[in-house]
Amino acid sequence: MKQHPTPLQEADRLDWIDAARGFAIFGIFMVNVPAFNAPYFLYGGEEYFWSSPLSHSVQTVIDIFFQASFYTLFSLLFGFGLQMMKDRLDQKEIPYRSVLLRRLLLLIGFGLIHSFLIWHGDILLSYGVFGLVLFAFFPVSSRTLLLWAYAMLAFLVIPLTLSLYAMRDHLGGFYNQEAINAAKRNYGEGSLLDIWQQNAVDWSYVNNVGSIPFLAFSLIPMFLFGMYLARKRWLHTPEQFLSPMKRLWAVTGIIFILFKAGPYLFGNPEWFQLLQDNVGGTASAFFYVLSVTLLFRTNGGRRLLRPLRWVGRMSLSNYIFQSVISFFLFYSIGLGWYGQVPPVMSVLIVLVVFTLQIMLSKAWLTTYRFGPLEWLWRTLTYRKKQPLKRKGKQSA
C-alpha cells in the first residue's frame, strides 16, 4: 500500500518557534500597516507628508526595531521549517522532493491570490518562488550553506553600498507626486476594479526585473541560515547549546544596534540603507529568534510569550487576516481611511488588531488543530484530508 506522508504532529512542535513566528507576524504587521495605509513607503515623501515630531519619532522606532527585521526573521523561520520538514520525511524514508514541491507551489498559489486581489506587498509569492532554489541546497553540507549565505549577502551589500556612497550627494528627497496622487485616488476613492488595477501597478513597481536580484539576495541567505540552524538543532534542544547561543545572542544584538540604530547618530544617510537593512536586519532576525528561545527557558518569559504561540501556529491565516482587515480599513470599498492615518494611529491599529488575533487564535485552537488556511495547505500538500476538529475540547 502506498504510504502517505504525514504532517508534523502537535507533540513534535517547538513552542518557542511558534512564539517566534507569532512575534514575526506582529512585526511584519507593524511595517505593513503604514505601507497599506499610504503610498509614501513606495513612492517616497513620508517625512514631508507626516511631518510632526511625533510622526518622525514613531517612524524612527519602526525603522530601527521593525523595518527589515521581521521579514528577515520570518524568512529565517521559513528555511528552518522547510529543513525540519525534509528531515522528518527522510526519517520516514519518504521522498521529500514531491512533497516540498507541492508545498511551495501551493504557497505560490496563495501568494498570487494575496498579491493581486488583496495587497501588492505580499511575501508569500516571493517565498514560494525563491523557496524552489532551496532544492539545490538540500544536498550540500552545512558549511556550504553558510558560505553561500554570506557570499550572497556580501555580493548584494558591498558593491551597491560603495556605489551609493559614491553617489551620496545626489540621493534623498525624491518622491513621485503623480504616483502618490494616483494611489490616493484609486485606493481611497475608486471602485474595486480601480483598487485591483492600482494593486497591479504597485506590485509591478516593486517586483520589476531590476529588483528581483535584490529580493533574491535578501531572502535566500535568510532561508539558508534557517536551514543551518535546523541542521545544527540549536533551536530543537536549546538546553544543550545555551553557551554558544548566548554568545551569538550578544554578538548579533551588538551588530543589530550598531547597524540599525547607529546611523541615526550621523543623520541616517541614505547610502547606508543597504547595510542597515541587510546586515542590521539579518543580525536582528538572529537576535529576536534567540531572545524568544532563551526567554522561553524561564517561567516569566514563557508566560509572557505564550500568547504569541497561538498566533504563530496559525501564521498563514493570521498574515492573510491582517491584510483583509487592512483592506477593509483603508480602501474605499471599506472605511476608506487611505492616506488619513498618521504613524501613531497605525501603531494603535496594529496593537488592537493583533490583540484580537491573539484571542481569536486561542479560541480557534481550543476547538481545531490547525488554522483554516494551514489545514487547507496541509491537506493539499499531503494529498490527504487532514483531521481538523479536536476529538475533545482542549486548551490551546
Side-chain angles (χ1 to χ4, degrees), residues 103-326:
R103 187 167 181 82
L104 291 172
L105 291 177
L106 288 165
L107 189 62
I108 290 172
F110 283 126
L112 287 170
I113 294 170
H114 185 227
S115 294
F116 293 104
L117 298 185
I118 304 177
W119 190 45
H120 68 271
D122 165 79
I123 59 171
L124 304 178
L125 180 57
S126 299
Y127 278 27
V129 171
F130 293 123
L132 296 172
V133 176
L134 300 184
F135 284 102
F137 290 96
F138 285 130
V140 308
S141 69
S142 299
R143 174 182 168 82
T144 302
L145 288 181
L146 282 185
L147 290 175
W148 271 100
Y150 286 130
M152 287 183 185
L153 282 176
F155 183 78
L156 171 67
V157 169
I158 295 174
L160 288 175
T161 299
L162 292 174
S163 299
L164 289 171
Y165 181 76
M167 300 169 55
R168 63 191 182 280
D169 294 334
H170 305 284
L171 300 175
F174 168 80
Y175 60 93
N176 187 332
Q177 188 64 59
E178 183 178 351
I180 290 171
N181 291 339
K184 285 185 173 181
R185 182 173 60 252
N186 290 320
Y187 287 135
E189 304 171 10
S191 66
L192 180 60
L193 183 59
D194 293 329
I195 292 170
W196 282 345
Q197 288 176 337
Q198 183 64 46
N199 206 36
V201 168
D202 290 345
W203 186 91
S204 300
Y205 180 81
V206 173
N207 297 280
N208 62 75
V209 174
S211 70
I212 291 176
F214 293 89
L215 192 58
F217 288 132
S218 296
L219 294 181
I220 296 174
M222 299 310 301
F223 296 166
L224 300 181
F225 284 133
M227 290 171 61
Y228 179 84
L229 285 177
R231 290 185 183 186
K232 292 302 180 183
R233 302 188 69 81
W234 280 23
L235 303 181
H236 290 73
T237 54
E239 289 77 11
Q240 298 180 20
F241 303 100
L242 286 179
S243 292
M245 285 178 64
K246 288 178 180 178
R247 288 196 295 270
L248 182 60
W249 174 82
V251 170
T252 54
I254 292 170
I255 296 173
F256 165 25
I257 295 301
L258 283 177
F259 279 83
K260 293 297 295 294
Y264 280 90
L265 299 176
F266 306 96
N268 194 30
E270 191 166 342
W271 65 266
F272 198 80
Q273 184 175 337
L274 274 172
L275 282 171
Q276 185 183 39
D277 286 353
N278 288 276
V279 176
T282 298
S284 64
F286 275 97
F287 177 78
Y288 284 146
V289 74
L290 291 172
S291 296
V292 170
T293 303
L294 292 172
L295 274 173
F296 235 87
R297 314 270 68 77
T298 67
N299 291 331
R302 190 158 49 249
R303 286 194 298 270
L304 176 67
L305 297 173
R306 189 175 297 277
L308 295 175
R309 179 179 59 114
W310 304 320
V311 177
R313 286 179 60 182
M314 296 174 51
S315 56
L316 176 61
S317 296
N318 278 311
Y319 173 69
I320 297 296
F321 177 82
Q322 290 173 350
S323 292
V324 171
I325 288 292
S326 297

Side-chain angles (χ1 to χ4, degrees), residues 340-352:
Q340 301 176 31
V341 179
V344 67
M345 293 303 296
S346 292
V347 172
L348 182 60
I349 288 171
V350 169
L351 295 176
V352 171

